[in-house]
Coordinates of all heavy atoms in Angstrom, one line a residue:
M1 N 30.0 -15.1 11.8 CA 28.8 -14.5 11.2 C 28.0 -15.8 10.5 O 28.6 -16.6 9.9 CB 29.3 -13.6 10.1 CG 28.3 -13.0 9.2 SD 28.8 -12.0 7.9 CE 29.7 -10.7 8.9
I2 N 26.8 -15.6 10.6 CA 26.0 -16.6 9.9 C 25.6 -16.1 8.5 O 25.0 -15.0 8.4 CB 24.7 -17.0 10.7 CG1 25.2 -17.6 12.1 CG2 23.7 -17.9 10.1 CD1 24.0 -17.8 13.1
F3 N 25.8 -16.9 7.5 CA 25.3 -16.5 6.2 C 24.9 -17.7 5.4 O 25.2 -18.9 5.8 CB 26.4 -15.7 5.4 CG 27.7 -16.5 5.1 CD1 27.7 -17.2 3.9 CD2 28.6 -16.5 6.0 CE1 28.8 -17.9 3.6 CE2 29.9 -17.3 5.7 CZ 29.9 -18.0 4.5
E4 N 24.2 -17.6 4.4 CA 23.8 -18.6 3.4 C 24.3 -18.3 2.0 O 24.2 -17.2 1.6 CB 22.3 -18.7 3.5 CG 21.6 -19.8 2.7 CD 20.1 -19.9 2.8 OE1 19.6 -19.1 3.6 OE2 19.6 -20.7 2.0
W5 N 24.8 -19.4 1.5 CA 25.2 -19.3 0.1 C 24.1 -19.8 -0.8 O 23.6 -21.1 -0.8 CB 26.4 -20.2 -0.1 CG 27.1 -20.2 -1.6 CD1 26.8 -21.1 -2.5 CD2 27.9 -19.2 -2.1 NE1 27.4 -20.9 -3.6 CE2 28.1 -19.6 -3.5 CE3 28.3 -17.9 -1.7 CZ2 28.9 -18.9 -4.3 CZ3 29.1 -17.3 -2.6 CH2 29.4 -17.8 -3.9
K6 N 23.5 -19.0 -1.6 CA 22.4 -19.4 -2.5 C 22.4 -18.7 -3.8 O 22.5 -17.4 -3.9 CB 21.1 -19.0 -1.7 CG 19.8 -19.4 -2.3 CD 18.5 -19.1 -1.5 CE 18.5 -17.8 -0.8 NZ 17.3 -17.5 -0.1
N7 N 22.3 -19.5 -4.8 CA 22.4 -19.0 -6.2 C 23.6 -18.1 -6.5 O 23.4 -17.1 -7.2 CB 21.1 -18.1 -6.5 CG 19.8 -19.0 -6.5 OD1 19.8 -20.1 -6.7 ND2 18.7 -18.4 -6.0
G8 N 24.6 -18.5 -5.9 CA 26.0 -17.8 -6.1 C 26.1 -16.5 -5.4 O 27.0 -15.7 -5.8
L9 N 25.2 -16.2 -4.5 CA 25.2 -15.1 -3.7 C 25.4 -15.3 -2.1 O 25.0 -16.4 -1.7 CB 23.9 -14.2 -4.0 CG 23.7 -13.7 -5.4 CD1 22.4 -13.2 -5.6 CD2 24.8 -12.7 -5.8
I10 N 25.9 -14.4 -1.4 CA 25.9 -14.5 0.0 C 24.7 -13.7 0.6 O 24.6 -12.6 0.4 CB 27.3 -13.9 0.6 CG1 28.4 -14.5 -0.1 CG2 27.3 -14.0 2.0 CD1 29.8 -14.0 0.2
W11 N 23.9 -14.4 1.4 CA 22.7 -13.9 2.0 C 22.9 -13.8 3.7 O 23.4 -14.8 4.3 CB 21.5 -14.8 1.8 CG 21.2 -14.9 0.3 CD1 21.8 -15.6 -0.6 CD2 20.3 -14.1 -0.3 NE1 21.2 -15.5 -1.9 CE2 20.2 -14.4 -1.7 CE3 19.3 -13.2 0.1 CZ2 19.4 -13.9 -2.7 CZ3 18.4 -12.7 -1.0 CH2 18.5 -13.1 -2.2
I12 N 22.6 -12.6 4.1 CA 22.8 -12.4 5.6 C 21.6 -11.6 6.1 O 20.7 -11.2 5.4 CB 24.1 -11.5 5.8 CG1 23.9 -10.2 5.2 CG2 25.4 -12.1 5.3 CD1 25.0 -9.0 5.6
S13 N 21.6 -11.4 7.5 CA 20.6 -10.6 8.1 C 21.3 -9.4 8.7 O 22.4 -9.5 9.1 CB 19.9 -11.4 9.2 OG 19.2 -12.5 8.7
I14 N 20.7 -8.3 8.7 CA 21.2 -7.1 9.2 C 20.2 -6.5 10.2 O 19.0 -6.8 10.2 CB 21.5 -6.0 8.2 CG1 20.3 -5.6 7.4 CG2 22.6 -6.6 7.2 CD1 20.6 -4.3 6.6
N15 N 20.8 -5.6 11.1 CA 19.8 -4.8 12.1 C 20.3 -3.3 11.8 O 21.4 -3.0 11.7 CB 20.1 -5.2 13.4 CG 19.8 -6.6 13.7 OD1 18.7 -7.0 13.7 ND2 20.7 -7.5 14.0
I16 N 19.2 -2.5 11.8 CA 19.5 -1.1 11.7 C 18.7 -0.4 12.7 O 17.6 -0.8 13.2 CB 19.2 -0.4 10.3 CG1 17.8 -0.5 10.0 CG2 20.1 -1.0 9.2 CD1 17.3 0.2 8.8
E17 N 19.2 0.7 13.2 CA 18.4 1.7 14.1 C 18.3 3.0 13.2 O 19.2 3.6 12.9 CB 19.2 1.9 15.3 CG 18.3 2.9 16.3 CD 19.0 3.2 17.6 OE1 19.9 2.3 18.0 OE2 18.8 4.3 18.1
Y18 N 17.0 3.3 12.9 CA 16.8 4.5 12.1 C 15.6 5.2 12.7 O 14.6 4.7 13.0 CB 16.3 4.0 10.8 CG 15.8 5.0 9.8 CD1 16.7 6.0 9.2 CD2 14.5 5.2 9.5 CE1 16.3 7.0 8.4 CE2 14.0 6.1 8.7 CZ 15.0 7.1 8.1 OH 14.5 8.1 7.3
E19 N 15.9 6.4 13.0 CA 14.9 7.4 13.6 C 14.5 6.8 15.0 O 13.4 6.8 15.3 CB 13.8 7.6 12.7 CG 14.1 8.4 11.5 CD 14.5 9.8 11.8 OE1 13.7 10.7 12.2 OE2 15.7 10.1 11.6
G20 N 15.4 6.1 15.8 CA 15.2 5.6 17.0 C 14.4 4.2 17.0 O 14.1 3.6 18.1
K21 N 14.2 3.7 15.9 CA 13.5 2.4 15.7 C 14.4 1.3 15.2 O 15.2 1.5 14.3 CB 12.3 2.5 14.9 CG 11.2 3.5 15.3 CD 10.0 3.6 14.3 CE 9.1 4.7 14.8 NZ 8.0 4.9 13.8
H22 N 14.4 0.2 15.9 CA 15.3 -0.9 15.5 C 14.5 -1.9 14.5 O 13.3 -2.2 14.7 CB 15.6 -1.8 16.7 CG 16.4 -1.0 17.7 ND1 17.8 -0.9 17.7 CD2 16.0 -0.2 18.8 CE1 18.1 -0.2 18.7 NE2 17.0 0.3 19.4
T23 N 15.2 -2.2 13.4 CA 14.6 -3.1 12.4 C 15.5 -4.1 12.0 O 16.7 -3.9 11.9 CB 14.3 -2.3 11.1 OG1 13.3 -1.1 11.5 CG2 13.6 -3.1 10.1
R24 N 15.1 -5.4 12.1 CA 15.8 -6.5 11.5 C 15.4 -6.8 10.1 O 14.2 -6.9 9.8 CB 15.7 -7.8 12.4 CG 16.5 -8.9 11.9 CD 16.5 -10.0 13.0 NE 17.3 -11.2 12.4 CZ 18.6 -11.4 12.6 NH1 19.3 -10.4 13.2 NH2 19.3 -12.4 12.3
I25 N 16.4 -7.0 9.2 CA 16.1 -7.2 7.8 C 16.7 -8.6 7.4 O 18.0 -8.7 7.5 CB 16.5 -6.1 6.9 CG1 15.8 -4.8 7.4 CG2 16.1 -6.4 5.5 CD1 16.5 -3.6 6.8
N26 N 16.0 -9.6 7.1 CA 16.5 -10.8 6.7 C 16.6 -10.9 5.2 O 16.1 -10.1 4.5 CB 15.6 -12.0 7.2 CG 15.6 -12.0 8.7 OD1 16.6 -11.9 9.4 ND2 14.4 -12.1 9.3
N27 N 17.3 -11.9 4.7 CA 17.5 -12.1 3.3 C 18.2 -10.9 2.6 O 17.7 -10.5 1.5 CB 16.3 -12.6 2.7 CG 15.8 -13.8 3.3 OD1 16.5 -14.8 3.5 ND2 14.5 -14.0 3.6
C28 N 19.3 -10.4 3.0 CA 20.0 -9.4 2.4 C 21.1 -10.0 1.6 O 21.8 -10.8 2.1 CB 20.6 -8.3 3.4 SG 19.3 -7.5 4.3
I29 N 21.4 -9.4 0.5 CA 22.6 -9.9 -0.3 C 23.8 -9.1 0.2 O 23.8 -7.9 0.1 CB 22.3 -9.7 -1.8 CG1 21.1 -10.5 -2.3 CG2 23.5 -10.0 -2.7 CD1 20.7 -10.2 -3.8
L30 N 24.8 -9.8 0.4 CA 26.1 -9.1 0.8 C 26.8 -8.9 -0.4 O 27.3 -10.0 -1.0 CB 26.8 -10.0 1.8 CG 28.2 -9.4 2.3 CD1 28.2 -8.0 2.9 CD2 29.0 -10.4 3.1
D31 N 26.9 -7.8 -1.0 CA 27.6 -7.5 -2.3 C 29.0 -7.0 -1.9 O 29.1 -5.8 -1.6 CB 26.8 -6.5 -3.1 CG 27.4 -6.3 -4.4 OD1 28.5 -6.7 -4.7 OD2 26.7 -5.6 -5.3
T32 N 30.1 -7.9 -2.1 CA 31.4 -7.5 -1.6 C 32.0 -6.5 -2.6 O 33.0 -5.9 -2.3 CB 32.3 -8.7 -1.6 OG1 32.2 -9.3 -2.7 CG2 31.8 -9.6 -0.5
G33 N 31.4 -6.3 -3.7 CA 31.9 -5.3 -4.7 C 31.3 -3.9 -4.7 O 31.6 -3.0 -5.4
S34 N 30.3 -3.7 -3.9 CA 29.5 -2.6 -3.8 C 30.1 -1.4 -2.9 O 30.7 -1.8 -1.9 CB 28.0 -2.8 -3.2 OG 27.2 -1.7 -3.1
A35 N 30.1 -0.2 -3.4 CA 30.7 0.8 -2.6 C 29.8 1.4 -1.5 O 30.1 2.1 -0.6 CB 31.1 2.0 -3.6
T36 N 28.5 0.9 -1.5 CA 27.4 1.5 -0.7 C 26.6 0.4 -0.1 O 26.6 -0.8 -0.7 CB 26.6 2.6 -1.3 OG1 25.9 2.0 -2.3 CG2 27.3 3.7 -1.9
T37 N 25.6 0.8 0.8 CA 24.6 -0.2 1.3 C 23.4 0.3 1.0 O 23.0 1.6 1.2 CB 24.8 -0.3 2.9 OG1 26.0 -0.8 3.2 CG2 23.7 -1.2 3.4
A38 N 22.5 -0.5 0.3 CA 21.2 -0.1 -0.2 C 20.2 -1.0 0.4 O 20.3 -2.2 0.3 CB 21.1 0.0 -1.6
I39 N 19.1 -0.4 0.9 CA 18.0 -1.4 1.4 C 16.6 -0.8 0.9 O 16.6 0.4 0.4 CB 17.9 -1.5 3.0 CG1 17.5 -0.2 3.6 CG2 19.1 -2.1 3.5 CD1 17.2 -0.2 5.1
D40 N 15.6 -1.6 0.9 CA 14.3 -1.1 0.4 C 13.7 -0.2 1.3 O 13.6 -0.3 2.6 CB 13.4 -2.4 0.2 CG 12.3 -2.0 -0.6 OD1 11.2 -1.3 -0.1 OD2 12.2 -2.3 -1.8
I41 N 13.2 1.0 0.8 CA 12.6 2.1 1.5 C 11.4 1.6 2.4 O 11.1 2.2 3.3 CB 12.3 3.3 0.6 CG1 12.2 4.6 1.4 CG2 11.2 3.0 -0.4 CD1 12.2 5.8 0.6
D42 N 10.7 0.6 1.8 CA 9.4 0.2 2.5 C 9.7 -0.7 3.7 O 8.7 -1.0 4.4 CB 8.6 -0.7 1.5 CG 8.0 0.3 0.4 OD1 7.8 1.4 0.6 OD2 7.9 -0.3 -0.8
L43 N 11.0 -1.0 4.0 CA 11.3 -1.8 5.2 C 11.5 -1.0 6.5 O 11.6 -1.6 7.5 CB 12.6 -2.7 4.9 CG 12.5 -3.6 3.8 CD1 13.7 -4.3 3.6 CD2 11.3 -4.6 4.1
V44 N 11.4 0.3 6.3 CA 11.5 1.2 7.6 C 10.4 2.3 7.4 O 9.8 2.4 6.4 CB 12.8 2.0 7.7 CG1 13.9 0.9 7.8 CG2 13.1 2.8 6.4
D45 N 10.2 2.9 8.5 CA 9.3 4.0 8.6 C 10.0 5.3 8.1 O 10.5 6.0 8.9 CB 8.6 4.2 10.0 CG 7.6 5.2 10.0 OD1 7.1 5.7 8.9 OD2 7.2 5.7 11.3
F46 N 10.1 5.4 6.9 CA 11.1 6.4 6.3 C 10.7 7.8 6.6 O 9.5 8.2 6.5 CB 11.2 6.2 4.8 CG 12.3 7.0 4.1 CD1 13.6 6.7 4.2 CD2 12.0 8.2 3.5 CE1 14.6 7.4 3.6 CE2 13.0 9.0 2.9 CZ 14.3 8.5 3.0
N47 N 11.6 8.6 7.0 CA 11.4 10.1 7.3 C 11.7 10.9 6.1 O 12.9 11.2 6.0 CB 12.2 10.4 8.6 CG 12.0 12.0 8.8 OD1 11.2 12.6 8.3 ND2 12.6 12.2 10.0
F48 N 10.7 11.4 5.4 CA 10.9 12.2 4.3 C 11.3 13.5 4.6 O 11.7 14.4 3.7 CB 9.6 12.3 3.4 CG 9.5 10.8 2.7 CD1 8.6 9.9 3.3 CD2 10.0 10.5 1.5 CE1 8.3 8.6 2.7 CE2 9.8 9.2 0.9 CZ 8.9 8.3 1.5
Q49 N 11.1 14.0 5.8 CA 11.4 15.3 6.3 C 13.0 15.5 6.7 O 13.5 16.6 6.8 CB 10.6 15.8 7.5 CG 9.2 15.7 7.2 CD 8.7 16.6 6.1 OE1 9.1 17.8 6.0 NE2 7.9 16.1 5.2
K50 N 13.7 14.4 6.9 CA 15.1 14.3 7.3 C 16.0 14.7 6.1 O 15.6 14.4 4.9 CB 15.5 13.0 7.9 CG 16.8 12.9 8.3 CD 17.0 11.4 8.9 CE 18.4 11.3 9.4 NZ 18.5 9.8 10.0
F51 N 17.1 15.4 6.3 CA 18.0 15.7 5.3 C 18.4 14.5 4.5 O 18.7 13.4 5.1 CB 19.2 16.5 5.8 CG 20.3 16.7 4.8 CD1 20.1 17.8 4.0 CD2 21.4 15.9 4.6 CE1 21.1 18.0 2.9 CE2 22.3 16.2 3.7 CZ 22.1 17.3 2.8
A52 N 18.5 14.6 3.3 CA 18.8 13.4 2.4 C 19.5 13.9 1.1 O 19.3 15.0 0.7 CB 17.6 12.6 2.0
V53 N 20.2 13.0 0.5 CA 20.9 13.3 -0.8 C 20.3 12.2 -1.7 O 20.4 11.0 -1.4 CB 22.5 13.2 -0.7 CG1 23.0 13.3 -2.0 CG2 23.0 14.3 0.4
I54 N 19.9 12.7 -2.9 CA 19.5 11.7 -3.9 C 20.7 11.3 -4.7 O 21.5 12.1 -5.2 CB 18.4 12.3 -4.9 CG1 17.2 12.7 -4.0 CG2 18.2 11.4 -6.0 CD1 16.2 13.4 -4.7
K55 N 20.9 10.0 -4.8 CA 22.1 9.5 -5.7 C 21.6 8.5 -6.8 O 20.5 8.0 -6.7 CB 23.0 8.7 -4.8 CG 23.6 9.5 -3.6 CD 24.5 8.6 -2.8 CE 25.3 9.4 -1.7 NZ 26.1 8.6 -1.0
R56 N 22.4 8.3 -7.7 CA 22.1 7.4 -8.8 C 23.1 6.3 -8.7 O 24.3 6.5 -8.9 CB 22.1 8.0 -10.1 CG 21.8 7.1 -11.2 CD 21.6 7.8 -12.5 NE 20.5 8.7 -12.5 CZ 20.1 9.7 -13.3 NH1 21.0 10.1 -14.3 NH2 19.0 10.4 -13.1
L57 N 22.7 5.0 -8.5 CA 23.6 3.9 -8.3 C 23.7 3.3 -9.7 O 22.7 3.1 -10.3 CB 23.2 2.9 -7.2 CG 23.0 3.4 -5.8 CD1 22.5 2.4 -4.9 CD2 24.3 4.1 -5.3
H58 N 24.8 2.9 -10.0 CA 25.0 2.2 -11.3 C 25.5 0.7 -11.1 O 26.5 0.5 -10.3 CB 26.1 3.0 -12.2 CG 25.7 4.2 -12.6 ND1 25.0 4.5 -13.7 CD2 25.8 5.5 -11.9 CE1 24.8 5.9 -13.9 NE2 25.3 6.4 -12.7
G59 N 24.9 -0.2 -11.7 CA 25.3 -1.6 -11.5 C 26.0 -2.1 -12.7 O 26.4 -1.3 -13.7
I60 N 26.3 -3.3 -12.8 CA 26.9 -3.9 -14.0 C 26.0 -3.9 -15.3 O 24.8 -4.0 -15.0 CB 27.3 -5.4 -13.6 CG1 28.4 -5.4 -12.6 CG2 27.8 -6.1 -15.0 CD1 28.7 -6.8 -12.1
G61 N 26.6 -3.6 -16.4 CA 25.7 -3.3 -17.6 C 25.2 -1.8 -17.5 O 25.8 -0.9 -17.1
D62 N 23.9 -1.8 -17.8 CA 23.2 -0.5 -17.8 C 22.2 -0.4 -16.7 O 21.3 0.5 -16.8 CB 22.6 -0.3 -19.2 CG 21.5 -1.4 -19.5 OD1 21.3 -2.3 -18.7 OD2 20.8 -1.2 -20.5
G63 N 22.4 -1.1 -15.6 CA 21.5 -1.1 -14.5 C 21.7 0.3 -13.7 O 22.8 0.5 -13.3
I64 N 20.6 1.0 -13.5 CA 20.6 2.3 -12.7 C 19.5 2.3 -11.7 O 18.4 1.9 -12.0 CB 20.5 3.6 -13.6 CG1 21.6 3.6 -14.6 CG2 20.4 4.8 -12.8 CD1 21.6 4.6 -15.7
Q65 N 19.8 2.7 -10.6 CA 18.8 2.8 -9.4 C 18.9 4.1 -8.8 O 20.0 4.4 -8.3 CB 19.0 1.6 -8.5 CG 18.1 1.7 -7.2 CD 16.6 1.3 -7.5 OE1 16.4 0.6 -8.4 NE2 15.8 1.9 -6.6
E66 N 17.9 4.9 -8.7 CA 18.0 6.2 -8.0 C 17.5 5.9 -6.5 O 16.6 5.2 -6.3 CB 17.1 7.3 -8.6 CG 17.6 7.7 -9.9 CD 16.9 8.9 -10.5 OE1 15.8 9.1 -10.0 OE2 17.4 9.4 -11.4
V67 N 18.3 6.5 -5.6 CA 18.2 6.1 -4.1 C 18.1 7.4 -3.5 O 18.6 8.4 -3.9 CB 19.1 5.1 -3.6 CG1 18.9 3.7 -4.3 CG2 20.5 5.7 -3.8
V68 N 17.7 7.4 -2.2 CA 17.8 8.5 -1.2 C 18.8 8.1 -0.1 O 18.6 7.1 0.6 CB 16.4 8.9 -0.6 CG1 16.6 10.0 0.4 CG2 15.4 9.2 -1.7
S69 N 19.8 8.9 0.2 CA 20.9 8.5 1.1 C 20.6 9.4 2.3 O 20.5 10.6 2.4 CB 22.2 8.9 0.5 OG 23.2 8.6 1.4
Q70 N 20.5 8.6 3.5 CA 20.3 9.2 4.8 C 21.2 8.5 5.8 O 21.7 7.4 5.6 CB 18.8 9.1 5.3 CG 18.0 10.1 4.6 CD 16.6 10.2 5.3 OE1 16.2 9.2 6.0 NE2 15.8 11.2 4.8
K71 N 21.5 9.2 6.9 CA 22.2 8.5 8.0 C 21.3 7.7 8.9 O 20.1 8.0 9.1 CB 22.9 9.5 8.9 CG 24.2 10.1 8.4 CD 25.0 10.8 9.4 CE 26.4 11.1 8.9 NZ 27.2 11.7 9.8
V72 N 21.8 6.5 9.3 CA 21.2 5.7 10.2 C 22.0 5.7 11.6 O 23.2 6.0 11.5 CB 20.9 4.2 9.8 CG1 20.0 4.3 8.6 CG2 22.2 3.5 9.5
E73 N 21.3 5.6 12.7 CA 22.0 5.6 13.9 C 23.0 4.5 14.1 O 24.2 4.7 14.5 CB 21.0 5.8 15.2 CG 20.3 7.0 15.3 CD 19.0 7.0 14.6 OE1 18.4 6.0 14.1 OE2 18.6 8.1 14.0
K74 N 22.5 3.3 13.8 CA 23.3 2.1 14.0 C 23.0 1.1 12.9 O 21.9 1.0 12.4 CB 23.1 1.3 15.3 CG 23.6 2.1 16.5 CD 23.3 1.4 17.8 CE 23.8 2.3 19.0 NZ 23.5 1.7 20.2
F75 N 24.1 0.3 12.5 CA 24.0 -0.7 11.5 C 24.7 -1.8 12.0 O 26.0 -1.7 12.3 CB 24.5 -0.2 10.1 CG 24.5 -1.1 9.0 CD1 23.4 -1.2 8.2 CD2 25.6 -2.1 8.8 CE1 23.5 -2.1 7.1 CE2 25.6 -2.9 7.7 CZ 24.5 -3.0 6.9
N76 N 24.1 -3.0 12.1 CA 24.7 -4.3 12.6 C 24.7 -5.4 11.6 O 23.7 -5.6 11.0 CB 24.1 -4.7 13.9 CG 24.2 -3.7 15.0 OD1 23.4 -2.7 15.1 ND2 25.0 -4.0 16.0
I77 N 25.9 -6.1 11.5 CA 25.9 -7.5 10.9 C 26.6 -8.3 12.0 O 27.8 -8.1 12.2 CB 26.7 -7.4 9.6 CG1 26.1 -6.5 8.6 CG2 26.8 -8.8 9.0 CD1 27.0 -6.3 7.3
D78 N 25.8 -9.2 12.6 CA 26.3 -10.0 13.5 C 26.8 -9.2 14.7 O 26.1 -8.4 15.2 CB 27.3 -11.1 13.0 CG 27.4 -12.3 13.8 OD1 26.6 -12.6 14.5 OD2 28.6 -12.9 13.8
Q79 N 28.1 -9.3 15.0 CA 28.7 -8.6 16.1 C 29.4 -7.3 15.7 O 29.9 -6.6 16.5 CB 29.7 -9.4 16.8 CG 29.2 -10.7 17.4 CD 28.1 -10.4 18.6 OE1 28.2 -9.5 19.3 NE2 27.0 -11.2 18.5
I80 N 29.3 -7.0 14.3 CA 30.0 -5.8 13.9 C 28.9 -4.7 13.9 O 27.8 -4.8 13.3 CB 30.5 -6.0 12.3 CG1 31.4 -7.2 12.4 CG2 31.0 -4.7 11.9 CD1 31.8 -7.6 11.0
E81 N 29.3 -3.5 14.6 CA 28.4 -2.5 14.6 C 29.0 -1.2 14.2 O 30.1 -0.9 14.6 CB 27.8 -2.3 16.1 CG 26.9 -1.1 16.3 CD 26.4 -1.0 17.7 OE1 25.5 -1.8 17.9 OE2 26.9 -0.1 18.4
L82 N 28.2 -0.5 13.3 CA 28.7 0.8 12.8 C 27.7 1.9 13.3 O 26.5 1.6 13.3 CB 28.8 0.8 11.3 CG 29.7 -0.2 10.7 CD1 29.7 -0.3 9.2 CD2 31.2 0.0 11.1
E83 N 28.1 3.0 13.6 CA 27.3 4.1 14.0 C 27.3 5.4 13.1 O 28.4 5.6 12.5 CB 27.6 4.5 15.4 CG 27.4 3.4 16.5 CD 27.7 3.9 17.9 OE1 28.1 5.1 18.1 OE2 27.6 3.1 18.8
D84 N 26.2 6.0 12.9 CA 26.1 7.2 12.2 C 26.7 7.1 10.8 O 27.5 7.8 10.4 CB 26.8 8.4 12.8 CG 26.0 8.7 14.1 OD1 24.8 8.7 14.2 OD2 26.7 9.0 15.1
I85 N 26.2 6.0 10.0 CA 26.7 5.9 8.6 C 25.5 6.1 7.7 O 24.3 6.0 8.0 CB 27.3 4.5 8.4 CG1 26.2 3.4 8.5 CG2 28.4 4.1 9.4 CD1 26.5 2.0 8.0
E86 N 25.8 6.5 6.4 CA 24.9 6.8 5.5 C 24.6 5.4 4.7 O 25.5 4.8 4.4 CB 25.4 7.8 4.4 CG 25.3 9.3 5.0 CD 25.4 10.3 3.9 OE1 25.1 10.0 2.7 OE2 25.7 11.3 4.3
I87 N 23.3 5.2 4.5 CA 23.0 4.0 3.6 C 21.9 4.7 2.6 O 21.3 5.7 2.8 CB 22.4 2.8 4.4 CG1 21.1 3.2 5.1 CG2 23.4 2.2 5.3 CD1 20.4 2.0 5.8
E88 N 21.7 3.9 1.6 CA 20.7 4.4 0.5 C 19.4 3.6 0.7 O 19.4 2.3 1.0 CB 21.4 4.0 -0.8 CG 22.3 5.1 -1.3 CD 23.7 5.0 -0.5 OE1 24.2 3.9 -0.4 OE2 24.2 6.1 -0.1
F89 N 18.4 4.4 0.6 CA 17.0 3.8 0.6 C 16.4 3.9 -0.9 O 16.4 5.0 -1.3 CB 16.2 4.5 1.6 CG 16.6 4.3 3.0 CD1 17.4 5.3 3.7 CD2 16.1 3.2 3.7 CE1 17.8 5.2 4.9 CE2 16.6 3.2 5.1 CZ 17.4 4.2 5.7
G90 N 15.9 2.8 -1.4 CA 15.3 2.8 -2.6 C 14.3 1.8 -2.9 O 14.0 1.0 -1.9
I91 N 13.8 1.7 -4.1 CA 12.9 0.6 -4.4 C 13.5 -0.5 -4.8 O 13.8 -0.7 -6.1 CB 11.7 1.2 -5.5 CG1 11.1 2.4 -4.9 CG2 10.7 0.1 -5.8 CD1 10.2 3.1 -5.8
I92 N 14.0 -1.3 -4.0 CA 14.9 -2.4 -4.3 C 14.2 -3.7 -4.5 O 14.4 -4.5 -5.5 CB 15.9 -2.7 -3.1 CG1 16.5 -1.4 -2.7 CG2 16.9 -3.7 -3.4 CD1 17.5 -0.9 -3.7
R93 N 13.1 -4.0 -3.7 CA 12.4 -5.4 -3.9 C 11.8 -5.5 -5.2 O 11.7 -6.5 -5.8 CB 11.5 -5.6 -2.7 CG 12.2 -6.0 -1.4 CD 11.2 -6.3 -0.4 NE 10.3 -5.3 0.0 CZ 9.4 -5.5 1.0 NH1 9.2 -6.5 1.6 NH2 8.5 -4.3 1.2
D94 N 11.1 -4.3 -5.7 CA 10.5 -4.4 -6.9 C 11.5 -4.8 -8.0 O 11.1 -5.5 -9.0 CB 9.8 -3.1 -7.3 CG 8.5 -2.9 -6.3 OD1 8.2 -3.8 -5.7 OD2 8.0 -1.7 -6.4
D95 N 12.7 -4.2 -7.9 CA 13.6 -4.5 -9.0 C 14.3 -5.8 -8.9 O 14.6 -6.4 -9.9 CB 14.6 -3.4 -9.1 CG 14.0 -2.0 -9.5 OD1 12.9 -2.1 -10.2 OD2 14.6 -1.0 -9.3
F96 N 14.7 -6.2 -7.8 CA 15.6 -7.3 -7.6 C 14.9 -8.5 -6.6 O 15.5 -9.5 -6.5 CB 16.8 -6.9 -6.8 CG 17.5 -5.8 -7.5 CD1 17.5 -4.4 -7.1 CD2 18.2 -6.1 -8.7 CE1 18.2 -3.4 -7.7 CE2 18.9 -5.0 -9.4 CZ 18.8 -3.8 -8.9
G97 N 13.7 -8.3 -6.1 CA 13.1 -9.4 -5.4 C 13.5 -9.5 -4.0 O 14.2 -8.7 -3.5

């Protein structure tokens, strides 16, 4: 797996298949302590008509982020591929860059 160590964080690239469309997302933080996967909603052609669950993610301290959880067809990190998993879509870039 190719990753970059920058500012004390692990940075990777991921690929997702969502609603039949393939998207590569670079510069993702690999958070080894996170229970879920969250990406910015603006990085995909988000389907607001698809079944979703609204969740509230809590970070260290008092950080809170509301997200929409939906299934994606495929999620890849390097050679690791997961199918039909739920990930969270939220306004991530505005909050975290």
Side-chain angles (χ1 to χ4, degrees):
M1 174 184 303
I2 298 174
F3 66 89
E4 183 178 350
W5 179 262
K6 182 171 50 174
N7 298 326
L9 300 169
I10 302 169
W11 296 79
I12 61 170
S13 295
I14 64 170
N15 296 295
I16 64 168
E17 182 180 335
Y18 172 74
E19 295 293 290
K21 297 177 184 172
H22 298 273
T23 303
R24 179 170 181 84
I25 304 170
N26 297 313
N27 298 317
C28 297
I29 298 170
L30 178 63
D31 184 349
T32 59
S34 179
T36 64
T37 298
I39 65 169
D40 194 282
I41 198 167
D42 292 329
L43 297 176
V44 297
D45 186 14
F46 189 76
N47 181 355
F48 290 94
Q49 303 300 317
K50 182 177 176 178
F51 176 79
V53 175
I54 297 174
K55 295 182 178 181
R56 184 172 288 163
L57 304 180
H58 297 268
I60 295 175
D62 58 354
I64 296 174
Q65 172 75 29
E66 290 187 348
V67 295
V68 179
S69 179
Q70 286 186 346
K71 281 196 173 188
V72 298
E73 291 86 23
K74 292 183 183 177
F75 180 90
N76 296 78
I77 299 175
D78 199 28
Q79 300 300 316
I80 301 166
E81 180 176 280
L82 303 171
E83 295 183 0
D84 295 320
I85 65 163
E86 285 194 22
I87 62 174
E88 282 73 42
F89 295 93
I91 302 171
I92 309 295
R93 288 191 295 181
D94 287 351
D95 291 340
F96 303 108

